[in-house]
Amino acid sequence: MRAARCEPTDTTPIWIMRQAGRYLPEYMSVRSQVTFLDLCKRPELAAEVTLTAREVLDVDAAILFADLLPILEPMGFHLEYQQGEGPVIHNPIIGADDIDRVRPVDRIEDLGYVFEAVRLIRSQLPADIPLLGFGGAPFTLASYAIEGGGSRNYAKTKTLMFGDEGAWKSLMERLVESLGKYLNAQIDAGCQAVQIFDSWAGCLAPADYRRYVMPYTKKLIDAIPDDVPVINFLTGNPALLPAQRDAGGQVIGLDWRVDLADAWETVGYDRAVQGNLDPMSLYADLDTLRARAKAVLDGAAGRPGHIFNLGHGVLPDFSPDKVKALVQMVHELGVRK
């Protein structure tokens, strides 16, 4: 939390995106008993995998185990996680006329399993370890709702976005309203900071991001209390960094496609940055991994406000021992002189 506020720390703090995941045996022992969606919706299990990952890795923050997409269910979408296919929405938005059936979340209690998990985690987490909540950014959720699943070119999303700006605005406003309620309810339940994932915005040109996306991301970030740090994470397109900065967030999450030193200069030193080791570095031997972690730390130059993370999430076949070793390396190499 101190790093998120650009305050000095004894060493560089670190947490890992998807730190509770299939690469951990402790996670798989729980996951093998239930479906992915059941794991998300059973607070005691979501709490268990959140807490275990934090403890096993010795990272400096826990992040709530949940998923970006279940918020779409109370908005009228039929969501399923298919083996080998990932999330599938069976009634996606086909055209502008479908926007009318998308309803903002009225009863935030419909997502109560998330907030109960937050309360359970916070009650068992050490007092000095923050709990991070999270949600999808409006563009990423809109893309899922339109594409019905993954996409390579986001053609359906861009067709609606470019072709009917009024319909796009209506959809994005409904998402912002719902996400604002959702993130604030996570905070009320016990999260000390939140990360907003714009995992798919990298497909956009800078001008299109500024016109069709940034106003809504900014509105969502502005809905979070000023004393709760927001990590604004966008991946896939370094050209969007100036607009990502302008969208807001006390912390700007960086992926590995940009040099950290250059990125922080662009963001401005009055804001914190998070990142940005290439996740594939975890396939390297320990000496190479250490050198690559040190290069990221050198880019931060010991400046207050750096949170070490991967440039994206852990992959299922990563070695847990390598992830643990990375955490130890960062704590050792990041010590303030």
Side-chain angles (χ1 to χ4, degrees), residues 234-247:
L234 187 156
T235 182
N237 188 348
L240 296 180
L241 183 58
Q244 179 187 358
R245 171 201 62 204
D246 293 348

Side-chain angles (χ1 to χ4, degrees), residues 210-281:
R210 285 188 177 276
R211 176 170 178 173
Y212 297 106
V213 176
M214 191 177 82
Y216 306 105
T217 302
K218 185 177 189 307
K219 186 174 182 180
L220 175 59
I221 292 173
D222 288 346
I224 307 302
D226 291 340
D227 61 344
V228 178
V230 175
I231 305 167
N232 178 4
F233 176 68
L234 187 156
T235 182
N237 188 348
L240 296 180
L241 183 58
Q244 179 187 358
R245 171 201 62 204
D246 293 348
Q250 291 90 333
V251 184
I252 300 300
L254 307 172
D255 80 1
W256 69 96
R257 299 171 180 89
V258 63
D259 178 80
L260 188 139
D262 293 342
W264 207 345
E265 184 176 7
T266 299
V267 167
Y269 300 126
D270 59 331
R271 276 197 263 185
V273 294
Q274 177 180 280
N276 67 334
L277 183 69
D278 183 344
M280 300 305 110
S281 302

Side-chain angles (χ1 to χ4, degrees), residues 90-121:
H90 292 291
N91 59 335
I93 294 168
I94 304 300
D97 292 343
D98 288 331
I99 303 298
D100 288 340
R101 65 172 168 84
V102 180
R103 53 184 183 271
V105 175
D106 183 37
R107 285 175 35 85
I108 200 64
E109 297 82 7
D110 291 341
L111 296 160
Y113 54 88
V114 175
F115 316 131
E116 179 57 26
V118 171
R119 286 187 283 268
L120 286 172
I121 297 163

Side-chain angles (χ1 to χ4, degrees), residues 7 17 32 46 88 143 152 237 252 310:
E7 297 171 2
M17 281 184 274
S32 64
V88 175
S143 298
R152 293 191 177 189
N237 188 348
I252 300 300
L310 303 180

Side-chain angles (χ1 to χ4, degrees), residues 100-334:
D100 288 340
R101 65 172 168 84
V102 180
R103 53 184 183 271
V105 175
D106 183 37
R107 285 175 35 85
I108 200 64
E109 297 82 7
D110 291 341
L111 296 160
Y113 54 88
V114 175
F115 316 131
E116 179 57 26
V118 171
R119 286 187 283 268
L120 286 172
I121 297 163
R122 188 64 267 172
S123 69
Q124 299 175 59
L125 201 59
D128 62 338
I129 299 294
L131 174 58
L132 310 180
F134 75 91
F139 175 80
T140 290
L141 289 183
S143 298
Y144 269 111
I146 296 167
E147 302 289 339
S151 176
R152 293 191 177 189
N153 53 30
Y154 307 93
K156 296 175 184 177
T157 301
K158 291 185 178 184
T159 296
L160 178 65
M161 187 172 72
F162 297 153
D164 193 328
E165 194 162 352
W168 177 256
K169 179 175 185 289
S170 179
L171 174 61
M172 293 291 272
E173 286 180 342
R174 294 172 200 214
L175 287 165
V176 169
E177 179 183 343
S178 301
L179 286 163
K181 291 179 182 178
Y182 180 54
L183 292 174
N184 278 302
Q186 291 184 29
I187 293 163
D188 291 343
C191 290
Q192 283 85 31
V194 293
Q195 174 156 309
I196 296 172
F197 285 83
D198 219 346
S199 308
W200 286 5
C203 73
L204 296 170
D208 291 333
Y209 178 88
R210 285 188 177 276
R211 176 170 178 173
Y212 297 106
V213 176
M214 191 177 82
Y216 306 105
T217 302
K218 185 177 189 307
K219 186 174 182 180
L220 175 59
I221 292 173
D222 288 346
I224 307 302
D226 291 340
D227 61 344
V228 178
V230 175
I231 305 167
N232 178 4
F233 176 68
L234 187 156
T235 182
N237 188 348
L240 296 180
L241 183 58
Q244 179 187 358
R245 171 201 62 204
D246 293 348
Q250 291 90 333
V251 184
I252 300 300
L254 307 172
D255 80 1
W256 69 96
R257 299 171 180 89
V258 63
D259 178 80
L260 188 139
D262 293 342
W264 207 345
E265 184 176 7
T266 299
V267 167
Y269 300 126
D270 59 331
R271 276 197 263 185
V273 294
Q274 177 180 280
N276 67 334
L277 183 69
D278 183 344
M280 300 305 110
S281 302
L282 285 159
Y283 288 127
D285 61 76
L286 289 175
D287 288 343
T288 302
L289 178 61
R290 184 181 181 89
R292 294 179 68 83
K294 184 177 184 299
V296 173
L297 291 165
D298 288 348
R303 191 177 292 110
H306 178 216
I307 300 168
F308 197 103
N309 210 311
L310 303 180
H312 208 277
V314 175
L315 294 181
D317 63 346
F318 280 173
S319 163
D321 290 339
K322 287 274 188 72
V323 181
K324 295 173 189 177
L326 174 64
V327 174
Q328 294 172 352
M329 290 172 186
V330 171
H331 283 157
E332 175 190 337
L333 294 169

